[in-house]
Structure formats: C-alpha cells, structure tokens
Amino acid sequence: FREEGALPDFLIIGAQRSGSTFLHDILAARTSAHCSPLQKEVHYFDNKFYKPLDWYAKFFEQVNEPDTPAKTFEASPGYLYHPTVPKRVKQSLPSVKLIAVLRDPVERAISQYRWIRQVGLETRGAVEAFQYDAERLNLEQDPDYLQRFNDPLYFDFDHLHRGYLRRSLYDVQLRRWLECFDPAQIRIIESSVLFEQTEAVVTDLAEFLDITSSISGRAKD
C-alpha cells in the first residue's frame, strides 16, 4: 500500500545459488546502496511483469542523501536465466547497471538440485533429474520454445524450479543481456572471488556503481 516509490539504479541478476544473497546483504549493510525495504527478491521482470511499472517502483524508497551518493537496488537471481527479462529490463530501465555473480557451473547445478530436493520440489534421484535436463539443453536456444516466455503469464514448472544444467549455461544467458545492454553497464563476478576477496570486490563495485563503501576485512566461507 506504499504510495511513493522509485525505480532501482542497479540489479543483481543472478546466478541462482551463486552468492547473490551474500552480495545483496553486504552491499545493503556496508555501502550507501539501499535495497528494497519490503523484500530482497521482487521478481518483477520474470514473474510479475503483468503488473504496471508503478507497482514495481513501490518496492523502493526515494533516497535523498545530498552528501552521500546513494543508489537503490534489488536482487532476483532468476533474472539472468529468464530468456525475456533482458528485453523487459531494457524497456523499463535502459540506464540500469547489472551485476551477475557466477559460480562454477557444476557446483552451482549440484547446489540447486540439493536445495530443490530440500524444499520438496524434486523427488527424482540426481541421475534421473540431470539426465532429463541434459536432454533439454537445446531448448535454451530454441526460438519457438523461448517465444512462449514473451507472455508474462506463461508458466513452465521445469524452467522455474529445475533446469539444473540449463541454468548453468552462462554463455547463452549473458549473450541475451549483451544484446540489450552496453558491456559497460554489466559487471560479472566469480563467486569464489566474492567470498575470498570480499573487500576488493565491494570496493570495485562501489566505483562501478558510484556509491560509497565502509567495508573492511574478509568474508568467511
């Protein structure tokens, strides 16, 4: 029921199970960036694009800090993977900056599978689940299949909750974003570097995003 709002200045777009939550939390706590006060993952561009942009803006606060360069942001890891999100973001936020955290693709896929099993959305064994997904890798570059996602109400359970191997096709996903955005608007971070060299990563991001940072020390694994 918020009446005022603002559109975000940058997005953490994924990848799922790669450290986006850690990055979101440390940016919110130790820099002049302001996350949504309502929820970390708004999922507007992948799951709620049927709603107006004004609805999305209400998840963020107007930031008025004249002495500090402050920016607003959110983190929805599904944005990197969803085939239509790059075009939707370009349409709505053409000047936005984007951050992708990428984990070793095999480790990421295994972590996702374990998590989906834990929350009860997967009952198959790992061999069966990964084999099923491997047989569908071509869908990520199938124009007829991808066109379905242009409909904001289209729902694909396997794509949303599974896709263990498909979500690790970073080259395919990043090409979609680079078709819509200047490379200068995108920063890619390796998850192991994020956790092992947190101070350096946040310092670099502060410069990239034009925000201030008070971070010191090193993250623990």
Side-chain angles (χ1 to χ4, degrees):
F1 297 99
R2 292 163 54 86
E3 295 299 329
E4 297 182 359
L7 293 173
D9 298 290
F10 69 94
L11 303 173
I12 301 174
I13 59 175
Q16 187 184 68
R17 309 299 294 174
S18 296
S20 60
T21 296
F22 174 78
L23 180 59
H24 168 277
D25 292 349
I26 201 164
L27 289 178
R30 306 299 295 277
T31 76
S32 60
H34 293 252
C35 62
S36 167
L38 301 181
Q39 62 189 75
K40 165 183 167 275
E41 300 181 18
V42 182
H43 286 290
Y44 174 68
F45 292 104
D46 53 359
N47 295 341
K48 301 180 179 70
F49 198 65
Y50 55 88
K51 293 181 177 290
L53 196 61
D54 287 347
W55 177 88
Y56 179 54
K58 290 179 182 179
F59 280 83
F60 307 93
E61 294 179 321
Q62 293 280 359
V63 178
N64 184 18
E65 299 178 2
D67 298 328
T68 304
K71 301 293 174 65
T72 56
F73 76 103
E74 69 135 326
S76 291
Y79 287 169
L80 179 67
Y81 176 51
H82 193 289
T84 312
V85 165
K87 294 179 181 179
R88 293 173 179 175
V89 175
K90 180 65 174 180
Q91 170 188 331
S92 304
L93 306 171
S95 300
V96 75
K97 291 188 176 181
L98 308 160
I99 304 171
V101 184
L102 305 183
R103 184 178 181 179
D104 176 280
V106 175
E107 292 180 359
R108 195 220 62 80
I110 294 171
S111 176
Q112 181 195 349
Y113 170 78
R114 290 173 174 168
W115 174 56
I116 294 297
R117 286 272 296 190
Q118 182 179 351
V119 298
L121 293 173
E122 177 63 88
T123 58
R124 299 171 298 179
V127 173
E128 180 183 357
F130 278 67
Q131 181 63 41
Y132 178 88
D133 197 40
E135 294 170 354
R136 286 156 179 76
L137 289 178
N138 64 305
L139 290 177
E140 293 307 307
Q141 300 184 73
D142 182 334
D144 293 334
Y145 171 74
L146 297 177
Q147 187 174 6
R148 303 175 188 177
F149 292 88
N150 291 333
D151 180 354
L153 298 178
Y154 176 71
F155 176 76
D156 184 325
F157 181 88
D158 277 345
H159 188 275
L160 179 62
H161 295 299
R162 296 173 178 174
Y164 311 114
L165 301 179
R166 288 190 281 166
R167 280 184 182 267
S168 289
L169 296 177
Y170 303 140
D171 59 327
V172 174
Q173 297 158 23
L174 289 172
R175 279 200 298 268
R176 294 173 185 152
W177 285 92
L178 289 169
E179 288 173 359
C180 296
F181 290 92
D182 188 306
Q185 292 177 251
I186 305 174
R187 185 59 52 93
I188 299 172
I189 302 169
E190 186 178 345
S191 64
S192 61
V193 176
L194 170 62
F195 286 107
E196 294 170 7
Q197 303 177 39
T198 305
E199 182 176 0
V201 169
V202 173
T203 298
D204 178 71
L205 285 178
E207 182 177 354
F208 171 63
L209 299 168
D210 190 25
I211 56 177
T212 59
S213 169
S214 62
I215 189 172
S216 62
R218 181 173 172 172
K220 304 293 185 181
D221 287 340

